[in-house]
Amino acid sequence: MDIHEYQAKEILSRFNVEVPKGALAYSPEQAAYRTHELGGDKWIVKAQVHAGGRGKAGGVKLCQSQDEVYDACNDMFGRKLVTHQTGPQGKGIYRVYVESAVQIDHEIYLGFVLDRSSQRVMIVASTEGGMEIEEISADRPESIVRSTVEPAVGLQEFQAREIAFNLGIEPGLVQHMVRTLQGCYRAFLEFDATMVEINPLVVTGDNRVVALDAKMSFDDNALFRHPQISELRDKSQEDPRESRAADRGLSYVGLDGNIGCIVNGAGLAMATMDTIKLAGGAPANFLDIGGGASPERVAKAFRLVLSDDNVQAVLVNIFAGINRCDWVAEGVVLALKSLQLDIPVVVRLAGTNVEEGQKILAKSGLPIIRATSLMEAAERAVGAWQNDLVQATKMRAAL
Ligand code: ADP
Ligand code: MG
């Protein structure tokens, strides 16, 4: 789960990370009023969306008067901000953060990520702050400092100092940098984060180390033990298809193609998507029904996949171990009987109770296309979808 910049800053500041003074606003009027509370004469207005790259997309503006703050917000509110991280559909701006402008001497990149190969939290830092880490590793790989933290002892002062030296932090600021690094590490651990990124962390003209941006992501599987983090969830920033599925305890990933996929297990989902591509199609999504799915759960999954307008054919691919093919078949029949479906549905079942499953599908009298192998299933789904497209085009031409 992701949170907003202002929320991440609030958390990090509790762990001794210095952030500029700032305040949240839900309207241009409120934003203008916030300038009084903050004082000073230069403010940065920042669109709160779950994506980076806002600066380049017009989501971060420097303002020098209350009127400018009002106008900047007036432009932002209700608009979709499209950055290179949001996809073409963009993300809605419903909250704006007004922050005191800080005089920047230089910018640093700082990230904390889970490094799966060393099974440690890895600190990634660079003197090239402000750029995305992908750009830094392409253009200035030599500027990147990496350091993994030994979990038994945590981030030690000497290690944090070494990072600070490698970043060329001047001696008088090293202690401040150590405090920042240790604070981020403690926040990461305390809340089961999967990522903390401060880009840029800046050294200010008056010699302070301040986080000007902050991003945090959390492990969904650990959210149950951090209710104060779950509360920060903002559904306006999520793919509505994915949040509907999450609310129903199903895991769903939205994509851009036309074939809806219902599968069990993430590995099978990957294989199914690859095979659809190989057969010349593109997946619209995949929905993982998990293990031991009841007919009701399968039917629910079906409705969810179909609620996506892009879906023009459905492929159900189940390799039943813990699952039961007869239950899956019942679920498919249950869903198809309750929905007016006018798109092709291909079902491939294998594993536990496959014969019973096939019988249920055959006896249902529904126009379900059956397949035995994954390749056959993908070819049939893509073929049926293309055929439907040809028919639809012919019908439109005839009208
Ligand atoms: P994003 O990464 O989404 O583009 P940032 O919060 O990093 O958004 O802001 C973009 C740039 O704006 C920063 O790299 C920094 O140069 C400048 N900036 C952001 N906040 C402030 C601030 N409070 N004071 C001065 N400059 C800022
Ligand atoms: Mg940034």
Coordinates of all heavy atoms in Angstrom, one line a residue, residues 315-353:
L315 N -10.8 -16.1 -20.0 CA -10.2 -17.4 -20.0 C -10.0 -17.8 -18.5 O -9.4 -17.1 -17.7 CB -8.8 -17.2 -20.6 CG -7.8 -18.4 -20.4 CD1 -8.4 -19.7 -20.9 CD2 -6.5 -18.1 -21.2
V316 N -10.7 -18.9 -18.2 CA -10.5 -19.5 -16.9 C -9.5 -20.6 -17.0 O -9.7 -21.5 -17.7 CB -11.9 -20.1 -16.4 CG1 -11.7 -20.6 -14.9 CG2 -13.0 -19.0 -16.4
N317 N -8.4 -20.5 -16.2 CA -7.4 -21.5 -16.3 C -7.1 -21.9 -14.9 O -6.5 -21.2 -14.1 CB -6.1 -20.9 -16.9 CG -5.0 -22.0 -17.1 OD1 -5.3 -23.2 -17.1 ND2 -3.8 -21.5 -17.1
I318 N -7.5 -23.2 -14.5 CA -7.3 -23.6 -13.1 C -6.6 -24.9 -13.2 O -6.9 -25.9 -13.9 CB -8.7 -23.9 -12.5 CG1 -9.6 -22.6 -12.5 CG2 -8.6 -24.5 -11.1 CD1 -9.1 -21.5 -11.6
F319 N -5.5 -24.9 -12.4 CA -4.8 -26.2 -12.1 C -5.0 -26.5 -10.7 O -4.4 -26.0 -9.8 CB -3.3 -26.0 -12.4 CG -2.6 -27.3 -12.5 CD1 -2.4 -27.9 -13.8 CD2 -2.2 -28.0 -11.4 CE1 -1.8 -29.1 -13.9 CE2 -1.6 -29.2 -11.5 CZ -1.4 -29.8 -12.8
A320 N -6.0 -27.4 -10.5 CA -6.5 -27.7 -9.1 C -5.6 -28.6 -8.3 O -5.4 -29.8 -8.8 CB -7.9 -28.2 -9.2
G321 N -5.1 -28.2 -7.2 CA -4.4 -29.0 -6.3 C -5.3 -29.0 -5.0 O -6.1 -29.9 -4.8
I322 N -5.2 -27.9 -4.3 CA -6.1 -27.7 -3.2 C -7.5 -27.4 -3.7 O -8.5 -27.7 -3.1 CB -5.6 -26.6 -2.3 CG1 -4.2 -26.8 -1.8 CG2 -6.5 -26.4 -1.0 CD1 -3.5 -25.6 -1.2
N323 N -7.6 -26.6 -4.8 CA -8.9 -26.3 -5.4 C -9.5 -27.6 -5.9 O -8.9 -28.6 -6.1 CB -8.7 -25.3 -6.6 CG -8.7 -23.9 -6.0 OD1 -9.6 -23.5 -5.4 ND2 -7.6 -23.2 -6.3
R324 N -10.8 -27.4 -6.2 CA -11.5 -28.6 -6.8 C -12.2 -28.1 -8.1 O -12.9 -27.1 -8.1 CB -12.6 -29.1 -5.8 CG -12.1 -29.7 -4.6 CD -13.2 -30.0 -3.6 NE -14.3 -30.6 -4.2 CZ -15.3 -31.2 -3.5 NH1 -15.3 -31.2 -2.2 NH2 -16.4 -31.7 -4.1
C325 N -11.9 -28.9 -9.2 CA -12.4 -28.5 -10.5 C -14.0 -28.4 -10.5 O -14.6 -27.6 -11.2 CB -12.0 -29.4 -11.6 SG -10.2 -29.2 -11.9
D326 N -14.6 -29.3 -9.7 CA -16.1 -29.3 -9.7 C -16.6 -28.0 -9.1 O -17.6 -27.5 -9.6 CB -16.7 -30.6 -9.1 CG -16.1 -30.9 -7.7 OD1 -14.9 -30.4 -7.4 OD2 -16.7 -31.5 -6.9
W327 N -15.9 -27.6 -8.1 CA -16.4 -26.3 -7.4 C -16.2 -25.1 -8.4 O -17.0 -24.2 -8.5 CB -15.6 -26.1 -6.1 CG -16.1 -26.9 -5.0 CD1 -17.0 -27.9 -5.0 CD2 -15.7 -26.8 -3.6 NE1 -17.1 -28.5 -3.8 CE2 -16.4 -27.8 -2.9 CE3 -14.8 -25.9 -2.9 CZ2 -16.2 -27.9 -1.5 CZ3 -14.7 -26.1 -1.6 CH2 -15.4 -27.1 -0.9
V328 N -15.0 -25.2 -9.0 CA -14.7 -24.1 -10.0 C -15.8 -24.1 -11.1 O -16.4 -23.0 -11.4 CB -13.3 -24.2 -10.6 CG1 -13.1 -23.2 -11.7 CG2 -12.3 -24.0 -9.5
A329 N -16.1 -25.3 -11.6 CA -17.1 -25.4 -12.7 C -18.5 -24.9 -12.2 O -19.1 -24.1 -12.9 CB -17.2 -26.8 -13.2
E330 N -18.8 -25.3 -11.0 CA -20.1 -24.8 -10.4 C -20.1 -23.3 -10.3 O -21.1 -22.6 -10.7 CB -20.3 -25.3 -9.0 CG -21.0 -26.7 -9.0 CD -21.2 -27.2 -7.5 OE1 -21.5 -26.4 -6.7 OE2 -20.8 -28.4 -7.3
G331 N -19.0 -22.7 -9.9 CA -18.9 -21.3 -9.8 C -19.1 -20.6 -11.2 O -19.8 -19.6 -11.3
V332 N -18.4 -21.2 -12.2 CA -18.5 -20.6 -13.5 C -20.0 -20.6 -14.0 O -20.5 -19.6 -14.5 CB -17.6 -21.4 -14.5 CG1 -17.9 -21.0 -16.0 CG2 -16.1 -21.2 -14.2
V333 N -20.6 -21.8 -13.8 CA -22.0 -22.0 -14.2 C -22.9 -21.0 -13.5 O -23.8 -20.3 -14.0 CB -22.5 -23.4 -14.0 CG1 -24.0 -23.6 -14.3 CG2 -21.7 -24.3 -15.0
L334 N -22.7 -20.9 -12.1 CA -23.5 -20.0 -11.3 C -23.4 -18.5 -11.8 O -24.4 -17.8 -12.0 CB -22.9 -20.1 -9.9 CG -23.7 -19.5 -8.7 CD1 -24.8 -20.4 -8.4 CD2 -22.8 -19.4 -7.5
A335 N -22.2 -18.1 -12.1 CA -21.9 -16.8 -12.6 C -22.6 -16.5 -13.9 O -23.3 -15.5 -14.2 CB -20.5 -16.5 -12.6
L336 N -22.4 -17.5 -14.8 CA -22.9 -17.3 -16.2 C -24.4 -17.3 -16.2 O -25.0 -16.6 -17.1 CB -22.3 -18.4 -17.1 CG -20.8 -18.3 -17.4 CD1 -20.4 -19.3 -18.5 CD2 -20.4 -16.9 -17.8
K337 N -25.0 -18.1 -15.4 CA -26.5 -18.1 -15.3 C -27.1 -16.8 -14.8 O -28.2 -16.4 -15.2 CB -27.0 -19.3 -14.5 CG -26.7 -20.6 -15.3 CD -27.7 -21.7 -14.9 CE -27.7 -22.9 -15.9 NZ -27.8 -24.2 -15.3
S338 N -26.3 -16.2 -13.9 CA -26.9 -15.0 -13.3 C -26.5 -13.7 -14.1 O -27.0 -12.6 -13.8 CB -26.4 -14.8 -11.9 OG -25.0 -14.6 -11.9
L339 N -25.6 -13.9 -15.1 CA -25.2 -12.7 -15.9 C -25.6 -12.8 -17.3 O -25.6 -14.0 -17.8 CB -23.7 -12.5 -15.8 CG -23.0 -12.3 -14.5 CD1 -21.5 -12.6 -14.6 CD2 -23.2 -10.8 -14.1
Q340 N -26.0 -11.7 -17.9 CA -26.3 -11.8 -19.4 C -25.0 -11.6 -20.1 O -24.5 -10.5 -20.3 CB -27.3 -10.6 -19.8 CG -28.6 -10.7 -19.1 CD -29.4 -12.0 -19.6 OE1 -29.2 -12.4 -20.8 NE2 -30.1 -12.6 -18.7
L341 N -24.4 -12.8 -20.5 CA -23.1 -12.7 -21.0 C -23.1 -12.8 -22.5 O -23.7 -13.7 -23.1 CB -22.2 -13.8 -20.4 CG -20.7 -13.6 -20.5 CD1 -20.4 -12.4 -19.5 CD2 -20.0 -14.8 -20.1
D342 N -22.4 -11.8 -23.2 CA -22.4 -11.9 -24.6 C -21.0 -12.0 -25.2 O -20.7 -11.6 -26.3 CB -23.2 -10.7 -25.2 CG -22.7 -9.4 -24.6 OD1 -21.8 -9.4 -23.8 OD2 -23.3 -8.4 -25.0
I343 N -20.0 -12.4 -24.3 CA -18.7 -12.6 -24.8 C -18.2 -14.0 -24.6 O -18.8 -14.7 -23.7 CB -17.7 -11.6 -24.0 CG1 -17.8 -11.9 -22.5 CG2 -18.0 -10.2 -24.4 CD1 -16.7 -11.1 -21.8
P344 N -17.3 -14.5 -25.4 CA -16.8 -15.9 -25.3 C -16.1 -16.2 -23.9 O -15.4 -15.3 -23.4 CB -15.9 -16.1 -26.4 CG -15.6 -14.7 -27.0 CD -16.6 -13.8 -26.5
V345 N -16.4 -17.4 -23.4 CA -15.8 -17.8 -22.2 C -15.1 -19.2 -22.5 O -15.7 -20.1 -22.9 CB -16.8 -18.0 -21.1 CG1 -16.1 -18.6 -19.8 CG2 -17.5 -16.7 -20.7
V346 N -13.8 -19.2 -22.2 CA -13.0 -20.4 -22.4 C -12.6 -21.0 -21.0 O -12.1 -20.2 -20.2 CB -11.7 -20.2 -23.3 CG1 -10.9 -21.4 -23.4 CG2 -12.1 -19.6 -24.6
V347 N -12.8 -22.3 -20.8 CA -12.5 -22.8 -19.5 C -11.5 -24.0 -19.7 O -11.8 -24.9 -20.5 CB -13.7 -23.3 -18.7 CG1 -13.3 -23.9 -17.4 CG2 -14.7 -22.2 -18.5
R348 N -10.4 -23.9 -19.0 CA -9.5 -25.1 -19.0 C -9.3 -25.5 -17.6 O -8.9 -24.7 -16.7 CB -8.1 -24.6 -19.6 CG -7.1 -25.7 -19.7 CD -6.0 -25.6 -18.6 NE -5.1 -26.6 -18.7 CZ -3.9 -26.6 -18.1 NH1 -3.5 -25.5 -17.4 NH2 -3.1 -27.6 -18.1
L349 N -9.6 -26.8 -17.3 CA -9.5 -27.3 -16.0 C -8.5 -28.5 -16.0 O -8.5 -29.2 -16.9 CB -10.8 -27.8 -15.5 CG -12.0 -26.8 -15.4 CD1 -13.3 -27.5 -15.0 CD2 -11.7 -25.7 -14.4
A350 N -7.7 -28.6 -14.9 CA -6.8 -29.7 -14.8 C -6.7 -30.0 -13.3 O -6.8 -29.1 -12.5 CB -5.5 -29.4 -15.4
G351 N -6.4 -31.3 -12.9 CA -6.2 -31.6 -11.5 C -7.4 -32.2 -10.8 O -8.2 -32.8 -11.4
T352 N -7.5 -31.9 -9.5 CA -8.5 -32.6 -8.6 C -9.9 -32.5 -9.2 O -10.4 -31.4 -9.5 CB -8.4 -31.9 -7.2 OG1 -7.1 -31.8 -6.8 CG2 -9.3 -32.6 -6.2
N353 N -10.6 -33.6 -9.3 CA -12.0 -33.7 -9.7 C -12.2 -33.1 -11.1 O -13.3 -32.5 -11.3 CB -12.9 -33.0 -8.7 CG -12.9 -33.7 -7.4 OD1 -12.3 -34.8 -7.2 ND2 -13.6 -33.2 -6.4

